[in-house]
Amino acid sequence: NAGVTQTPKFQVLKTGQSMTLQCAQDMNHNSMYWYRQDPGMGLRLIYYSASEGTTDKGEVPNGYNVSRLNKREFSLRLESAAPSQTSVYFCASILRVRTESYEQYFGPGTRLTVT
Amino acid sequence: KQEVTQIPAALSVPEGENLVLNCSFTDSAIYNLQWFRQDPGKGLTSLLLIQSSQREQTSGRLNASLDKSSGRSTLYIAASQPGDSATYLCAVRKYSGGGADGLTFGKGTHLIIQP
């Protein structure tokens, strides 16, 4: 049981390049999320997927696209990277255990630098 | 728009002290509140989850309280140890029925426990 895994761990891009951040969970969780973490800003929600086949925008979706490939995988794509997208990206998932109970797990993060 | 504030931003105390971290949020229509721990360069580890109907949760030396009507939560750490040094993040999930919406995070309290 690997939990939530993210690849790559580190990435350097030039302005205008594209890339896809991969996330997978092996806990059979329904909902998955992408956050970014910037110094002084805390974590902010980019996109989420409440269930397989659905995606919704979060607080800061501009410049990103997502794909919920199947129940396990949720990818984040930067079509044309900008320096403002330099950040640490975290993938997360939750399982609704009971009506008022969730288990939430975060991946180890991807450190992205755009020059 | 929900805003989450954590005070203090940083705290340094000698080993063995009891301490309190504060979290406030502007919209009381929350589903639950979570406290996380983040070690440098690492992902987030969930410490405590409090449902909106609950007043407190305890895990070992940690106790978290929630006063939803006043928009406040506290994390109490008893008998602090150097291993408690980390950044502590408070996050709230808004009430939306389905419960799959993302979390809104505070900026964290950076805690250092001096040996």
Side-chain angles (χ1 to χ4, degrees), chain B residues 46-64:
Chain B
S46 180
L47 298 174
L48 289 164
L49 169 69
I50 309 178
Q51 299 298 338
S52 61
S53 58
Q54 297 175 321
R55 296 301 301 268
E56 66 176 348
Q57 282 284 348
T58 298
S59 176
R61 294 183 293 108
L62 304 179
N63 175 277

Side-chain angles (χ1 to χ4, degrees), chain A residues 31 33 35 37 40-45 48-50 59 90 94 96 98-109 111, chain B residues 1 31-32 34 36 38 40-46 49 51-53 89 93 97-107:
Chain A
S31 303
Y33 307 79
Y35 293 87
Q37 185 176 34
M41 296 295 292
L43 279 91
R44 292 178 293 170
L45 182 65
Y48 67 99
S49 170
E59 181 184 355
F90 289 101
I94 64 169
R96 189 174 184 178
R98 294 185 295 276
T99 301
E100 293 188 344
S101 181
Y102 296 88
E103 293 180 33
Q104 172 115 28
Y105 296 85
F106 278 81
R111 293 183 177 273
Chain B
K1 178 187 171 186
Y31 199 75
N32 55 40
Q34 273 186 278
F36 293 88
Q38 185 176 28
K42 304 292 186 183
L44 279 68
T45 301
S46 180
L49 169 69
Q51 299 298 338
S52 61
S53 58
L89 297 165
R93 190 182 305 277
D101 289 7
L103 293 166
T104 300
F105 282 85
K107 296 179 182 179

Side-chain angles (χ1 to χ4, degrees), chain B residues 23-115:
Chain B
C23 172
S24 63
F25 47 94
T26 55
D27 186 350
S28 62
I30 64 168
Y31 199 75
N32 55 40
L33 182 144
Q34 273 186 278
W35 284 93
F36 293 88
R37 168 185 173 136
Q38 185 176 28
D39 293 290
K42 304 292 186 183
L44 279 68
T45 301
S46 180
L47 298 174
L48 289 164
L49 169 69
I50 309 178
Q51 299 298 338
S52 61
S53 58
Q54 297 175 321
R55 296 301 301 268
E56 66 176 348
Q57 282 284 348
T58 298
S59 176
R61 294 183 293 108
L62 304 179
N63 175 277
S65 67
L66 173 64
D67 184 342
K68 198 171 79 130
S69 60
S70 66
R72 289 188 287 189
S73 176
T74 60
L75 178 67
Y76 176 82
I77 303 176
S80 59
Q81 303 170 357
D84 295 330
S85 299
T87 296
Y88 290 79
L89 297 165
C90 170
V92 298
R93 190 182 305 277
K94 73 176 183 181
Y95 182 77
S96 65
D101 289 7
L103 293 166
T104 300
F105 282 85
K107 296 179 182 179
T109 293
H110 181 55
L111 177 64
I112 297 174
I113 307 298
Q114 306 154 8

Side-chain angles (χ1 to χ4, degrees), chain A residues 28-47:
Chain A
N28 201 35
H29 287 178
N30 298 319
S31 303
M32 298 184 72
Y33 307 79
W34 278 104
Y35 293 87
R36 61 178 287 175
Q37 185 176 34
D38 304 293
M41 296 295 292
L43 279 91
R44 292 178 293 170
L45 182 65
I46 305 172
Y47 269 95

